[in-house]
Amino acid sequence: MKRLSFLLALATVVGCGYDVDTYADDMLNASCDKMEECEYFTYDDCKALGDVEDTSAEPWECADYDSGAAKECVDAYAAVSCDDFLTMTGLEICNDVCSND
């Protein structure tokens, strides 16, 4: 029984993390939701832009990923007003998601 408890606890810590790929998918969805809400793009047009692979840019690298800040960033996108979305006000937590210092 102790072994089962340990394995469940380990699976929770290791398997349920908010990884970079999940963050990227959630961020694209949150951004497209907000752009549709604010009438900048339709959701489908926004998603189509997100699906275009930019081979001219360097790949995004994140040396120090903060999963807690990533979750808060996605939540902030969902909560921000359209006026604040334009100026990125209220989205400062997103600056803490990745640090390559």
Side-chain angles (χ1 to χ4, degrees):
M1 188 63 155
K2 287 183 182 181
R3 184 174 182 198
L4 178 61
S5 298
F6 172 75
L7 291 175
L8 288 174
L10 183 62
T12 300
V13 171
V14 174
C16 296
Y18 194 66
D19 65 25
V20 173
D21 291 332
T22 303
Y23 164 67
D25 290 342
D26 288 353
M27 196 62 200
L28 177 60
N29 290 328
S31 298
C32 289
D33 283 341
K34 188 55 64 176
M35 287 192 184
E36 182 171 66
E37 176 188 329
C38 298
E39 299 179 355
Y40 302 129
F41 291 100
T42 66
Y43 183 84
D44 291 336
D45 288 345
C46 177
K47 288 287 284 192
L49 290 172
D51 289 337
V52 174
E53 185 175 347
D54 184 1
T55 57
S56 67
E58 291 184 31
W60 182 67
E61 293 183 22
C62 185
D64 188 19
Y65 172 71
D66 183 336
S67 63
K71 284 183 179 181
E72 289 182 44
C73 177
V74 172
D75 291 344
Y77 262 77
V80 72
S81 71
C82 291
D83 290 336
D84 288 344
F85 181 68
L86 275 176
T87 61
M88 303 302 280
T89 303
L91 300 173
E92 294 80 9
I93 188 64
C94 299
N95 296 331
D96 296 337
V97 173
C98 185
S99 172
N100 287 324
D101 298 331

